[in-house]
C-alpha cells in the first residue's frame, strides 16, 4: 500500500501535465500571449499615430488659409470647366484675342493623365479657335501659362495671314483632383 | 552449573551483513519522494498556470479597452483631410514640374529667325511623354537667308533634328519651306527660373511680341 501512493502520485502528475498543463500552455495561454503582443503593437502604433497627427496638425496650421486657397485654385477639387472657360474668355478679351469656338469633349471613363500610372488627378482637353494679332496672342498665351489654375497648352497652331490678324487653334488641358 | 540445552541463549551473534544493510540506498523512499514530488510539482504548475492564464485574460481585456479608446480617439475626417492635403500638394508639385509653356519656344524661334525669313504657320504638338514637335511653314528671301536660319537652328541645343523640306522657289525668288524639329523639354516645361523670368516678363511680353512679329506670323 505504501508503495502504491507514490506511484499514484507520479501517475497523477503525468495526468495533470498531459491533460491540463501542456494543452493549456500551448493552447489558450499562447493564443492570449500572441493577442496581447498584437494589441501592444497596435497600441504602440496608435501612440505614434497620435504623435504624427499632432505634428501634421502643427505643419498644416503653418500653411496659411491664403496658400490653401491658392492650392485649391491651382488644382481644384472639381472639373469646373465652365468657370475655366469664363476665365479664358475674360483673359482673351483683356488680351485682344477673339475666341471663335470652344469645344469640350465628352469625358470618358478613366480620362486623365496617361503619362503616368493612374493618379488621383483627372484632366480634360478643351480646344479653342481664336483670332487676333500676334502681340495679343502672346499676351493671351502668357496669361494661360501663368494662370492661377493650372492650364497646359498641349497643342498649338498659329496660322499666318497678310492682314496681321492670325488664326489660332489650341488645346488646353484642365486638371482637377478627383 | 550446566545450562540445559533447551534454554534459549540470549546471545545473538552479529553478522557481517548488518553494516551492509545500513549503508544501502532506500529505493522505496526515493520512489516515494519522486512520486510525491512530481505530484506536488504538477499541482503547483497547474495552479500557477491557471493563475497566469487568468492574469493574461485581465491584461488582454485591459489592452483591448485601451485599444478601443485609442481607436475612438482617431478622427477619421482629420486623417482624410491630411491625406487629401498631401495628395493635393504632391500632385500639384508633380503637375507643375511638367507644366507646359510655349512662350520660351516662340521667343527662341523669333530670336533665331533672321528678318529675311517669315514663318507663315507654326504648330507645336506635345505628346503625353512631354516631347514637343514643332512644324512650321514659311518663306525666306533667298537660299542664303534660309541657310542662316538653318545654321542658327543647328547651333541651338534646345531645338533638335531641325529638318527643312518642301523647298520651292517662288516667282519673286522667295524660297518656301517646311520645317519640322523637336523641342527640348527644357524649352517647353515650367521651371523655377522661367517662373522668375515670367514674373517680370508680363509687362515686357508685348515688346517681345512686337520684335518677333516681324519674323513669326
Amino acid at each position: 500500500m505504501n508503495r502504491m501512493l507514490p506511484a499514484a502520485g507520479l501517475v497523477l502528475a503525468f495526468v495533470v501535465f498531459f491533460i491540463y498543463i501542456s494543452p493549456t500552455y500551448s493552447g489558450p495561454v499562447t493564443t492570449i500571449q500572441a493577442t496581447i503582443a498584437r494589441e501592444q503593437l497596435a497600441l504602440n502604433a496608435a501612440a505614434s499615430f497620435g504623435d504624427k497627427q499632432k505634428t501634421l496638425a502643427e505643419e498644416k496650421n503653418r500653411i496659411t488659409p491664403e496658400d490653401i486657397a491658392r492650392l485649391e485654385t491651382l488644382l481644384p477639387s472639381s472639373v469646373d470647366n465652365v468657370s475655366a472657360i469664363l476665365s479664358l474668355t475674360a483673359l482673351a478679351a483683356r488680351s485682344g484675342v477673339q475666341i471663335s469656338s470652344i469645344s469640350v469633349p465628352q469625358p470618358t471613363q478613366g480620362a486623365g493623365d496617361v503619362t503616368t500610372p493612374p493618379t488621383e488627378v483627372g484632366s480634360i482637353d478643351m480646344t479653342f479657335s481664336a483670332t487676333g494679332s500676334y502681340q495679343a496672342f502672346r499676351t493671351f498665351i502668357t496669361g494661360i501659362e501663368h494662370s492661377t489654375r493650372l492650364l497646359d497648352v498641349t497643342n498649338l497652331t498659329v496660322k499666318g495671314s497678310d492682314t496681321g490678324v492670325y488664326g489660332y487653334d489650341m488645346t488646353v488641358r484642365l486638371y482637377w483632383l478627383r | 552449573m550446566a545450562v540445559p540445552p533447551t534454554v534459549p541463549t540470549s546471545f545473538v551473534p552479529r553478522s557481517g551483513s548488518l553494516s551492509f544493510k545500513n549503508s544501502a540506498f532506500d529505493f522505496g523512499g526515493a520512489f516515494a519522494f519522486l512520486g510525491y514530488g512530481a505530484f506536488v510539482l504538477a499541482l503547483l504548475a497547474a495552479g500557477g498556470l491557471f493563475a497566469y492564464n487568468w492574469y493574461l485574460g485581465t491584461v488582454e481585456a485591459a489592452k483591448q479597452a485601451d485599444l478601443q479608446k485609442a481607436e475612438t480617439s482617431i478622427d477619421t475626417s482629420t486623417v482624410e483631410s491630411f491625406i487629401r492635403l498631401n495628395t493635393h500638394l504632391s500632385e500639384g508639385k508633380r503637375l507643375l514640374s511638367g507644366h507646359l509653356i510655349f512662350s520660351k519656344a516662340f521667343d527662341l524661334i523669333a530670336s533665331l529667325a533672321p528678318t529675311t525669313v517669315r514663318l507663315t504657320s507654326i504648330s507645336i504638338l506635345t505628346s503625353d511623354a512631354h516631347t514637343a514637335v514643332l512644324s512650321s511653314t514659311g518663306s525666306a528671301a533667298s537660299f542664303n537667308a534660309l541657310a542662316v536660319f538653318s545654321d542658327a537652328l543647328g547651333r541651338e541645343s534646345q531645338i533638335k533634328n531641325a529638318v527643312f523640306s518642301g523647298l520651292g522657289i517662288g516667282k519673286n525668288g522667295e524660297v518656301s519651306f517646311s520645317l519640322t524639329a523637336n523641342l527640348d523639354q527644357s524649352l517647353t516645361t515650367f521651371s523655377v527660373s522661367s517662373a522668375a523670368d515670367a514674373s517680370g516678363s508680363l509687362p515686357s511680353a508685348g515688346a517681345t511680341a512686337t520684335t518677333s512679329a516681324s519674323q513669326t506670323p
Side-chain angles (χ1 to χ4, degrees):
Chain A
M1 184 60 186
N2 285 345
R3 292 281 172 97
M4 290 296 285
L5 280 176
L10 202 59
V11 169
L12 279 173
F14 273 102
V15 167
V16 168
F17 181 80
F18 285 109
I19 298 293
Y20 178 71
I21 296 173
S22 179
T24 304
Y25 189 79
S26 59
V29 170
T30 308
T31 307
I32 294 175
Q33 279 176 334
T35 307
I36 289 172
R38 278 200 306 274
E39 285 171 348
Q40 187 57 51
L41 277 177
L43 280 171
N44 293 343
S48 61
F49 171 82
D51 294 341
K52 187 77 179 168
Q53 188 176 13
K54 203 176 289 179
T55 310
L56 287 175
E58 285 170 5
E59 286 183 15
K60 188 182 175 186
N61 289 337
R62 277 203 289 272
I63 304 173
T64 62
E66 291 78 21
D67 284 343
I68 296 281
R70 283 175 63 196
L71 182 65
E72 183 60 36
T73 307
L74 178 85
L75 188 60
S77 300
S78 62
V79 188
D80 200 11
N81 57 322
V82 175
S83 68
I85 290 169
L86 283 175
S87 300
L88 284 169
T89 309
L91 174 66
R94 283 201 306 275
S95 310
V97 169
Q98 284 78 46
I99 293 177
S100 52
S101 72
I102 300 171
S103 170
V104 183
Q106 287 285 340
T108 54
Q109 188 66 31
D113 222 350
V114 291
T115 58
T116 54
T119 66
E120 297 189 53
V121 174
S123 66
I124 191 167
D125 289 345
M126 299 191 301
T127 53
F128 288 81
S129 293
T131 54
S133 68
Y134 183 73
Q135 187 178 345
F137 158 72
R138 286 300 309 272
T139 308
F140 181 59
I141 203 83
T142 305
I144 291 176
E145 287 171 355
H146 298 104
S147 162
T148 49
R149 178 169 183 177
L150 191 64
L151 302 170
D152 275 340
V153 179
T154 56
N155 295 323
L156 174 64
T157 301
V158 183
K159 296 168 198 160
S161 88
D162 294 329
T163 61
V165 177
Y166 307 114
Y168 310 101
D169 294 319
M170 64 183 80
T171 306
V172 177
R173 184 169 290 170
L174 299 180
Y175 299 96
W176 77 95
L177 197 63
R178 291 183 200 276
Chain B
M1 182 176 129
V3 179
T6 54
V7 176
T9 175
S10 63
F11 174 72
V12 178
R14 262 178 210 274
S15 70
S17 65
L18 189 62
S19 61
F20 171 75
K21 208 174 182 179
N22 281 344
S23 64
F25 185 75
D26 186 1
F27 282 104
F31 181 66
F33 177 77
L34 184 69
Y36 293 137
F39 181 65
V40 169
L41 274 178
L43 282 184
L44 284 175
L49 189 64
F50 180 80
Y52 183 55
N53 197 9
W54 174 83
Y55 166 74
L56 285 180
T58 56
V59 169
E60 189 203 359
K63 288 214 181 288
Q64 212 156 27
D66 288 347
L67 202 57
Q68 275 184 341
K69 198 176 163 187
E71 275 177 356
T72 51
S73 71
I74 294 172
D75 183 7
T76 50
S77 63
T78 307
V79 175
E80 281 167 11
S81 76
F82 286 152
I83 293 170
R84 183 79 177 168
L85 180 60
N86 181 55
T87 309
H88 223 143
L89 287 167
S90 60
E91 289 298 330
K93 193 175 176 183
R94 183 181 67 79
L95 289 172
L96 270 179
S97 67
H99 179 41
L100 292 168
I101 51 170
F102 290 161
S103 293
K104 282 195 293 182
F106 278 100
D107 289 342
L108 183 64
I109 293 163
S111 68
L112 293 176
T115 51
T116 47
V117 172
R118 183 172 181 270
L119 301 179
T120 51
S121 74
I122 295 179
S123 176
I124 300 175
L125 304 177
T126 60
S127 71
D128 288 319
H130 280 183
T131 55
V133 177
L134 167 80
S135 305
S136 180
T137 57
S139 60
S142 64
F143 268 109
N144 283 342
L146 191 60
V148 170
F149 187 33
S150 174
D151 185 51
L153 288 176
R155 279 187 275 109
E156 178 51 55
S157 61
Q158 289 182 302
I159 297 177
K160 295 168 183 172
N161 309 319
V163 177
F164 287 91
S165 59
L167 299 173
I169 301 174
K171 282 184 281 186
N172 51 2
E174 274 193 351
V175 181
S176 61
F177 63 87
S178 296
L179 166 67
T180 57
N182 297 112
L183 302 181
D184 191 81
Q185 205 170 349
S186 62
L187 194 61
T188 56
T189 51
F190 172 81
S191 66
V192 176
S193 58
S194 68
D197 292 345
S199 63
S201 74
L202 268 174
S204 63
T208 310
T210 308
T211 309
S212 59
S214 60
Q215 292 104 22
T216 49

